[in-house]
Structures are given as C-alpha cells and as structure tokens.
Amino acid sequence: MKSQDKEDLSTNFIRNVINKDISAGKHTSIKTRFPPEPNGYLHIGHAKSICLNFGTAIDYDGSCNLRFDDTNPAKEDIEYVNSIKKDVEWLGFSWGGEVKFSSSYFDIFYKCAEELISKGLAYVCFLSSDETRTYRGTLKESGKNSPYRETSIKENLVLFRKMKARGFKEGECVLRAKIDMSSSFMCMRDPTLYRIQFKAHHQTNDDWCIYPMYDFAHCLGDAIEGITHSICTLEFQDNRRIYDWTLENLDNFNTINRPHQYEFSRLNLEYTTTSKRKLKLLVDENHVNSWNDPRMPTISGLRRRGYTPASIRDFSARIGVSKVNSLTDISILESSIRDDLNNSAPRSMAVIRPIKLVIENYPKGEIESLKVPVHSQNEEMGTREIFFSREIYIDKNDFNELAPNNKYKRLAINKEVRLRNSYVVKATHFDNDKDGNVEIVYCTYDSETLGKNPSDGRKVKGVIHFVESSRALSAEFRIYDRLFLESNPTNFDDLSSSINPNSLEIKNGFIEPSLSNAKAEEAYQFEREGYFCRDSESEGLVFNKTVGLKDTWSQ
Ligand code: ATP
Ligand code: MG
C-alpha cells in the first residue's frame, strides 16, 4: 500500500482533527497505535480499527505501533499474542519498529503512580469491592469519599510500596486516583489505578504483583510512544476525562503535543457478535470448533473461509468511520469478497450433490481431454485440462424429470442442455435408487456441438456444470450459513437457542483433477456454485464455501 496525497483522501472526522493539528503546527508527523489486549483472537471489528489506525498512519506518511495492552495477566496468553501479530501482518500492515508491550513500561507506570501519590493525587484504599461500589454512588446521586482518602502522602507511599512488595493479599487494597466523588462522570469518581494480582505474566513472569488498570496504562503507553492520535471506540468516551487527567498531572507528559483520544463507533455486524468474551464462549462451549472456525467473524476464521486481506480492507473502507453506533449489513462484507474474487479467482467445476449422467451414444472406454480457460474474462490466466467421457457427474439439482416451466434452463427428459465447456446433451430416461431418488440419468450427446451451437439452428439455452467420473476426485464441501438466528443476537446465556442449528452443512461430491493440488485458503470459483477454498486444517480435499455467486440474503 502506498501513501497518497492527503488532498485525495475522502475525509472523516479523525482526518479533520489531524489536518487541523498539522496546520496548527502541533505535530509534524502522525503516530497512531493499535492496542489489542491479548485475551482472544482478533475479529472483523478489530479489522476496522486496524484499517483505521494503520491506514491513517499510511495516509499521512506516519507510523502505527502494534502495542499489546497486556495489563491483566489473568486473561492473557501468548497464543493470543502470536495470533494477533499474524493477523495484522496478513491484513497487509506493518507496525513501526518492534512490537510494543504495555508491560515493558511497568517501571515507568509505577514511577508515575508514585508521582501522583507525592502530589496528593492518589491514595491506597482498603474498602472492599462492595463498599467501593456503595461509596461510588449512582448517576443520580453523588458518591461519598472513602475513609482512606485523607491518608497522608508519606503513609500512602509506604502503603503503595508494600503493595508492590507483596505485603498485602489479593483484593485487600487498591491504589485510587483522588479526583472527584461527585463528578457527573462515574469514571472520575476516584478510579482504581492499580490492583494486586498474584498471577504470572506472559512477559514479566513474577516481577510484579500489582498491575495497572487500562485507564491508567493506556494514556501513559500512548505518551511514552509519542502517539499523536489515540483512536478508540465510543465506550471510552467518558474515560477520555481520566486519560487527560492522568497526563495533565504528570510532569513529563503534560506537554503541548501530548496524545489525545478520539472515539469512533465500533463495528457491529449482523448475525454474529464482535465481543471477544462471547466469541470465547462459542469456542469454550463447543458451538464452533475453534477460534478459526470458518463460521467465526474472527480474522483467522475469515481467512480460513477464503476471505482475502484486500476484501477486508475494502469492507472497512466501505463502512467508513463515524460516531453513530449501528448494525452493519452482512451483505456489505460479502459483496467486498465477491467483487475481489470475481476478478481474481480461477474457475473450476465441482459437483456438490452428485448424480451420474450416462451418455449412451458416446463410445465406451474413450476419454477426451479438453483445454478450457481458467477465467473466461481473463485469457492471461491460461487454460486448464478437463475430461469428458461416457459417464460424468452432474448436480442433482440440475435434473428434473419434467421441466417445471418454460423458463427452466437445466436438464429434463427430452430437453437439451449444454454441459459447460463441452457438448449439448439430451436426457432420455433415468433410474431411481431404492429410496426413490434419482440415481442415474441417461442421455445422448450431439458430437457436433463441442464449443459451437447445433448446426440446424436448435436453441439450447441452459448450461450446467459437470465432472468426468473416472478422473473425478472425491471432495468434501462445507457450506456455511449465518451463525446466529437473529440479525442482532442478544441471548448469550443460552447459546444453543440462539445459534443457527444449520450453520454448517457437509456435502460429499466431486472436483476436477486440476484441483488435486489446490492450496489452502486460495479461492476458486466453482462455476454456478460460488467461491470456495481448500480448508487449511483438513488432511484431504475439503473445501469451504466462502460466499455464493449472488446476494441471496435479501431474497
Ligand atoms: P475487551 O472486551 O477484551 O477489551 P475489545 O473488543 O475492546 O475487547 P481490545 O483488544 O481491547 O478488544 O481491542 C483493541 C482495539 O480494537 C481497541 O482500540 C478497540 O476499541 C478496537 N475494537 C474492538 N472491537 C471493535 C469493534 N467491534 N469495532 C471497532 N473497533 C473495535
Ligand atoms: Mg478493550
């Protein structure tokens, strides 16, 4: 991705702020960050944030840090750190310098906390969590000062050092900012800055038993790294007060070009969830197979499903950035991938619900090799070899004994249809299996119709796809539907009633031999069926359906 002229960019409110800051001489270069907490896999909502943060940096020839906000060892894991790095790179972005970790600033955070205590702006509080809640008050009623609020600075320094030195039990006390218990912003009512947790940390092991809260660590991390614009989601709107309060009260960080926080609306996507906690629940309760299950809205799930980085970046651009929360139509994501794959995906034929078609006037034992285009609108993609013989597979849905109406364009008794890339055939009769389902259809072919219309002017309107039977490879097709039954799922207490029981359908059919070496996660268009890619986690020929050829949601 190249940087573009600033003037060319479609604007959004964040760019407006940046343009103003640059004209005012506040910043000469722009630095953003993407700050995931390594407590789950990234999802499509994170992709929006990634495209915004990295994209903005690219647009202004600046840089964007990848910083792990790793201040809660209880929920974090190195598995998540690794998957997040992989996903950001896969989306096509590179971070400035080394990967950053909030935990590498723990010493600085600690010194900042002591500075606040020394200024009489923080105190160690021994209220229980229930008491703290009662003291905090409500939106209508102001809170009450903690009895520990007036402890002397000297005493507070001693207590805080004792917290750090494992002198207290987990939960026995916390360090709180001394701000305003009657603030109309609940987050300003003496928020917690540090808490005790006797948990080994994936980066700092047992070095610390006190861990900073998000509101304290985040603004400091931004300031330490020289972030200019700290972009986050709307839930943090109120917390901007504590962000500013913290930096303004610390000598080293209260500077004219210190970072500022800006909020945009998070992505909510129809028929799924973008809450890491709820996604984790889906995995833990086995409603899906893993974080990268192709039904999951995770980046790894989308990748395994056949989504491309370009399609996800395109989706982010299409939905834009705003300050209004809304539910985004799933068809926007699907049209992004469809538009990308329509141009780039090689074409192939796969029969997903196979029945046999026997061409009775075709010589027994003969097999024909045909060279056909990989992409009919793009000759440069070359040709592939397919086969034709007396016995081929067609899709069950492409045959009806009687054409249901005049518009019917598939195969029926006494009707002609073209087999894609080859001949015109006419069905004559068929056999059922013991359950009464069509098993074998018999037909004749017109040997003069390879790549041309019948010479006597007969019009053959329909085209169906097929795979020659002796060279066909057996394959499994995994066909996905929306994960949740409701467009805006709300019931997460009983997932079994809100999850679509048919979100995965498995079919066994056949593919062309040219697909024997199909690479995982690389998309093909199976003609007339949709876009598919080989599954990266399965041994054999297993294909995931990425998306259908047309938008079928709205029908
Ligand atoms: P948690 O509840 O675990 O904090 P989170 O969704 O906030 O989950 P983070 O790892 O803290 O996850 O998120 C990293 C960044 O991605 C944050 O800046 C966050 O605002 C942004 N982000 C998270 N979810 C979305 C979303 N649905 N749409 C846009 N941005 C998001
Ligand atoms: Mg978060």
Side-chain angles (χ1 to χ4, degrees), residues 82 84 151-152 239 289 309 386 422 440 450 453 456 492 521 542:
N82 293 331
I84 289 170
T151 312
S152 73
N239 304 57
N289 296 318
I386 65 166
S422 61
I440 305 176
L450 182 62
N453 287 329
D456 61 5
F492 290 92
E521 293 166 6
V542 176

Side-chain angles (χ1 to χ4, degrees), residues 19-87:
N19 292 343
K20 224 168 86 197
D21 287 349
I22 291 175
S23 341
K26 202 159 144 198
H27 305 292
T28 46
S29 66
I30 296 306
K31 203 162 177 185
T32 57
R33 87 287 169 263
F34 173 64
E37 192 183 338
N39 60 357
Y41 281 65
L42 296 184
H43 54 61
I44 185 75
H46 292 115
K48 175 179 179 180
S49 176
I50 292 169
C51 291
L52 177 61
N53 276 295
F54 284 90
T56 304
I58 291 168
D59 294 343
Y60 287 90
D61 289 325
S63 63
C64 178
N65 286 353
L66 172 61
R67 183 200 317 144
F68 287 99
D69 230 326
D70 55 343
T71 52
N72 183 7
K75 288 192 173 161
E76 296 166 8
D77 199 286
I78 194 77
E79 175 193 350
Y80 302 131
V81 171
N82 293 331
S83 75
I84 289 170
K85 288 199 278 194
K86 179 175 172 183
D87 288 349

